[in-house]
């Protein structure tokens, strides 16, 4: 991205040319990938033209002024639909921009369009979109992961230089891993949720996705920061990009939780991740085995809490004020028929599960219990960070699966086995590619750090990335 | 029905008089065009988030302190989930197991006896919008219109212990509660606008153990409705119990037209609200010093004021009660007394003539009333002239001193002038004088009236009185003067 910024700055390329390039790519390739739900040709070109004029006048909004971006379609944008890939919000136009959209517009980034997702971000394959299935650019018969599968596939296929995703239990990291790109789930409270259509408010975070750790770091620096409209936003959340010193990993303590390398993990994934750990060790990092004893319960805990919060967050889609309305004889029938028609099966499944776990007679056994386990998991993580700086795990148990392969919802939920813990504990987590399996499908490695220590993740991530690249060009991978 | 003890508990909702709503910056106002005071947050649009209004917390704390509650320095917001068109998010942000305040009490009088009611809890929540059905209810209406201006106005919910023992006490309690909240300046508490709403629950307990379940009554839109509905319900339940019947836990509604309660639903079918902590709002943690600041700034409350009026200012119990129950009168009373006027005299004016004129809607400040009392005290005008001037002050907003000067009002206190008028009046009514002298003493009032009339009310009445009595007694053998 720095190269692009320099070219723009030098006048070697214009923002209009850049945007046109990506629009052409979308035009020629996206019929196969199906990453975009909406492409805003005119809007993006207009924004690019404005960026070029600012460059000419010597008043760019930021070093990245004019570099376009794609935005996941559960993030509100004025002038474009925000559908959450649901029939419920077909043709819904938000009257306001999400805070992150205000911020990227403020940095001069033209928005190419809105990317596909599992309906209301509920899913791990982007197959649950009400409109289209997104395909993995590395193998079109396979899923890109989800729910931010549209943004991941678009970045991987070169349809945009970077994109925004959202992550509630792994929805940035899992598709990034499947598509061979870099993605960050920031610390809860560091990126404003104003304008993010809620799935589970206590875990949702918007995050950057890109081709390199540096690109993700740059985009993170644009979107992070306190926002008074989000009561869970933390003061002093801003992040300054510009950390040049690469040096070594001396002094970095890596924790390897054995719980994440057990049953259910593909041997190929395990091998690549362990190899990456050895590389980091070679760069000077100290490697320690650690234990996160309650992590085995993270997926059940996550599912209980996410469905509970989702059942409440999605109750507002009742046909009264906006979105789909199925006319009926009375209001109650209208609610029922609107929700029956507007929501897909996975959304209904989660709403029913969430309603069940909150019902008075089950509240204590499920919801309260899950809250208690969440506290235990958070304590595990906190004590781990007393011993180590970064916890290293695979991002996913396997590489991208085939479209239609996972029919059992429980199997699908297990895709988030390694990622949900960061959402439960509110800590930042980065995924970056660390090789491929024998089918040529990307494998991701996940780095987790303590609250607000994204800087450590970027440092370690960049070092590992460079080491892998050098090895790749010397033919060792 | 005498053998049953009645237990009544009340659940009261009060709209707080903050300038803006509880979770967004929209104006919290009554009477604006439908849906003109709304934003993404109070409409519950996708992607919107709540931000707690500090003023709403302050008002809530003030209310809690005025009701002698313990304010919890740590409380939590929760979601109460249910579907209704006027509930934009399909959940209400409220407080559930960790409310803002607990353990309060209200002291008040019932037929001059001091009584007390325990406040179990007080919590903050948001108001819903307003549904207007084309038919009687949402079920079966052809259409329903919704106004979201009200959605998000801050509310406090106050729950009492079931220690109220009669419908009359329930009414007295609610009146006192309203007064306290008005004094604490947290709400205008207008039942007619819905800024004060009350649900009641009532159960009957017989000596031999034939207890009835708790029945909840909704739609109590006035103090009278509260009292009547409870009285109706107590009678209805007693009759069922006497006949060996069973009272089921249920929710009933007060039918104002039919003057009776009607079943809405049995509690067995009550909705499950699926409460859970509101993840979009952090717990509400209050600074103890801030709470103490609010406590210190709490205005004088009704009970303390009534006590002060009676003991320190020496007002009659009746006047003290009237003033305390009418805060706008009490304010004028205070202002006027502060200028140095004698409290009971001011109270007479304020609860009498002043209150009568004030009923028409306009007001006169204590400063201006003080000016009038000064004129009377100086003897510049008589008290009866004062009443005329006060009326002018209310209807035309005149300044008393300027008005008196402009109209040339003065008190005729000239003994000689009045003496001749007195004599003239007696001269003209010799027959009545005779009757007076024979013992019909109430005729004195008539003579005074005649003199006052003759002077267009400008005579100093006490002097007229004195001169008349003197003239009449001296003239027990009074003879008409020779022409
Ligand atoms: Zn609003």
């Amino acid at each position: 991205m720095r190269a692009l910024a320099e070219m723009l700055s030098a006048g070697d390329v214009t923002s209009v040319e850049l945007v046109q390039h990506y629009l052409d790519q979308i035009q020629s390739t996206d019929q196969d990938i199906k990453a975009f739900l909406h492409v805003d040709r005119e809007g993006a070109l207009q924004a690019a033209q404005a960026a070029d004029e600012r460059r000419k006048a010597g008043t760019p909004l930021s070093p990245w002024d004019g570099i376009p971006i794609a935005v996941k379609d559960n993030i509100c944008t004025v002038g474009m639909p925000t559908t959450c890939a649901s029939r419920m919000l077909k043709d819904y136009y938000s009257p306001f921009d999400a805070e992150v959209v205000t911020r990227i517009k403020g940095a001069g980034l033209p928005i190419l369009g809105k990317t596909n997702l599992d309906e209301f971000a509920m899913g791990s394959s982007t197959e649950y979109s009400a409109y289209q299935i997104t395909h993995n650019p590395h193998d079109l018969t396979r899923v890109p992961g989800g729910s931010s599968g549209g943004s991941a596939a678009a970045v991987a296929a070169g349809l945009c230089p970077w994109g925004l995703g959202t992550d509630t239990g792994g929805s940035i990291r899992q598709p990034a891993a499947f598509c061979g790109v870099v993605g960050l789930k920031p610390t809860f409270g560091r990126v404003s949720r104003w304008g993010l259509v809620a799935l589970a408010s206590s875990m949702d975070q918007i995050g950057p996705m890109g081709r390199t750790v540096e690109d993700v770091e740059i985009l993170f620096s644009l979107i992070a920061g306190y926002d008074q409209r989000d009561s869970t936003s933390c003061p002093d959340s801003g992040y300054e990009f510009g950390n040049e010193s690469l040096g070594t990993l001396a002094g970095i303590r890596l924790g390897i939780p054995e719980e994440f390398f057990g049953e259910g993990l593909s041997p190929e994934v395990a091998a690549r991740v362990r190899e990456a750990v050895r590389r980091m060790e070679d760069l000077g990092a100290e490697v320690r085995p650690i234990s996160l004893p309650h992590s085995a319960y993270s997926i059940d805990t996550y599912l209980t809490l996410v469905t509970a919060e989702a059942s409440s967050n999605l109750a507002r889609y009742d046909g009264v004020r906006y979105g789909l309305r199925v006319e009926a004889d009375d209001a109650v029938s209208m609610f029922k028929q609107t929700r029956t028609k507007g929501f897909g099966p996975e959304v209904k499944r989660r709403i029913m599960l969430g309603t069940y776990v909150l019902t008075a007679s089950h509240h204590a056994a499920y919801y309260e219990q899950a809250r208690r386990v969440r506290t235990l998991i958070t304590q595990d993580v906190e004590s781990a960070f007393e011993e180590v700086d970064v916890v290293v795990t695979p991002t996913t148990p396997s590489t991208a699966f085939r479209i239609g392969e996972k029919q059992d919802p429980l199997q699908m939920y297990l895709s988030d086995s390694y990622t949900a813990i960061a959402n439960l504990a509110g800590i930042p987590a980065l995924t970056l590619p660390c090789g491929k399996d024998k089918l040529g499908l990307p494998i991701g490695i996940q780095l987790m750090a303590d609250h607000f220590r994204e800087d450590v993740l970027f440092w370690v991530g960049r070092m590992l990335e460079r080491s892998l690249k050098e090895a790749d060009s010397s033919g060792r991978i | 029905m005498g053998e049953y003890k009645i237990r009544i508990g009340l659940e009261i909702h009060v709209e707080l008089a903050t300038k803006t709503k509880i979770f967004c910056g929209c104006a919290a106002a009554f009477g604006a065009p439908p849906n003109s005071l709304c934003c993404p947050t109070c409409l519950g649009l996708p992607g919107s988030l709540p931000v707690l209004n500090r003023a709403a917390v302050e008002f809530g704390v003030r209310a809690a302190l005025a009701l002698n509650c313990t304010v919890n320095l740590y409380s939590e917001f929760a979601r109460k989930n249910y579907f209704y068109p006027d509930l934009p998010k399909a959940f209400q942000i409220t407080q559930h197991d960790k409310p803002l305040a607990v353990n309060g009490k209200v002291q008040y009088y019932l037929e001059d006896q001091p009584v007390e009611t325990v406040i179990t809890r007080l919590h903050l929540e948001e108001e819903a919008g307003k549904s207007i059905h084309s038919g009687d209810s949402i079920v079966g209406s052809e259409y329903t219109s919704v106004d979201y201006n009200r959605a998000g106005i801050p509310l406090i919910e106050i729950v009492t212990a079931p220690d109220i023992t009669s419908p009359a006490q329930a009414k007295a309690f609610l009146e006192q509660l309203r007064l306290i909240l008005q004094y604490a300046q947290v709400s205008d508490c207008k039942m007619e606008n819905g800024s004060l709403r009350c649900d009641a629950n009532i159960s009957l307990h017989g000596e031999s153990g034939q207890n009835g379940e708790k029945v909840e009554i909704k739609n109590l839109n006035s103090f009278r409705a509260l009292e009547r509905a409870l009285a109706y319900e107590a009678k209805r339940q007693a009759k069922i119990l006497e006949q060996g019947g069973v009272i089921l836990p249920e929710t009933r509604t007060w039918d104002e037209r039919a003057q009776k309660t009607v079943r809405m639903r049995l509690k067995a079918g009550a909705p499950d609200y699926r409460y859970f902590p509101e993840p979009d709002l952090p717990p509400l943690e209050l600074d103890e010093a801030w709470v103490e600041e609010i406590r210190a700034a709490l205005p004088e409350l009704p009970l303390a004021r009534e006590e002060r009026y009676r003991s320190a200012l020496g007002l009659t119990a009746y006047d003290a009660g009237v003033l305390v129950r009418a805060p706008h009168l009490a304010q004028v009373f205070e202002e006027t007394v502060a200028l140095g006027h004698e409290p009971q005299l001011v109270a007479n004016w304020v609860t009498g003539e002043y209150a009568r004129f004030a009923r028409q809607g306009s007001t006169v400040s204590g400063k201006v009333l003080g000016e009038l009392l000064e004129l009377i005290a100086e003897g510049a005008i008589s008290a009866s002239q004062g009443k005329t001037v006060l009326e002018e002050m209310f209807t035309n907003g005149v300044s008393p001193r300027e008005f008196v000067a402009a109209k040339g009002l003065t008190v005729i206190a000239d003994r000689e002038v009045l003496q001749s008028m007195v004599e003239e009046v007696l001269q003209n009514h010799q027959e009545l004088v005779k009757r007076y002298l024979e013992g019909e003493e109430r005729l004195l009032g008539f003579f005074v009236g005649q003199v006052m009339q003759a002077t267009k009310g400008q005579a100093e009445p006490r002097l007229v009185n004195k001169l008349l009595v003197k003239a009449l007694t001296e003239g027990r053998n009074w003879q008409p003067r020779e022409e």
Side-chain angles (χ1 to χ4, degrees), chain B residues 236-305:
Chain B
R236 184 187 73 85
Q237 293 182 18
K239 203 162 146 196
I240 293 174
L241 289 175
E242 269 159 21
Q243 291 167 355
V246 179
I247 306 291
L248 293 172
E250 61 174 310
T251 302
R252 301 177 72 85
T253 181
W254 173 244
D255 184 335
E256 185 71 49
R257 239 172 306 173
Q259 294 282 301
K260 61 180 194 178
T261 65
V262 184
R263 174 177 293 171
M264 278 171 80
R265 58 170 180 260
L266 287 172
K267 284 281 178 189
D272 179 343
Y273 293 119
R274 308 190 308 282
Y275 288 99
F276 72 101
E278 166 56 275
D280 283 326
L281 291 168
L284 176 56
E285 293 182 68
L286 303 179
D287 181 11
E288 193 167 4
W290 186 60
V291 173
E292 288 314 311
E293 243 172 72
I294 297 172
R295 190 195 302 275
L298 210 57
E300 184 184 39
L301 296 172
L303 207 64
R305 176 170 286 187

Side-chain angles (χ1 to χ4, degrees), chain B residues 21 23-27 37-43 148 151-152:
Chain B
K21 294 184 179 181
F23 297 124
C24 63
C26 294
L37 307 175
C38 300
C39 73
T41 293
C42 57
L43 288 174
Y148 293 101

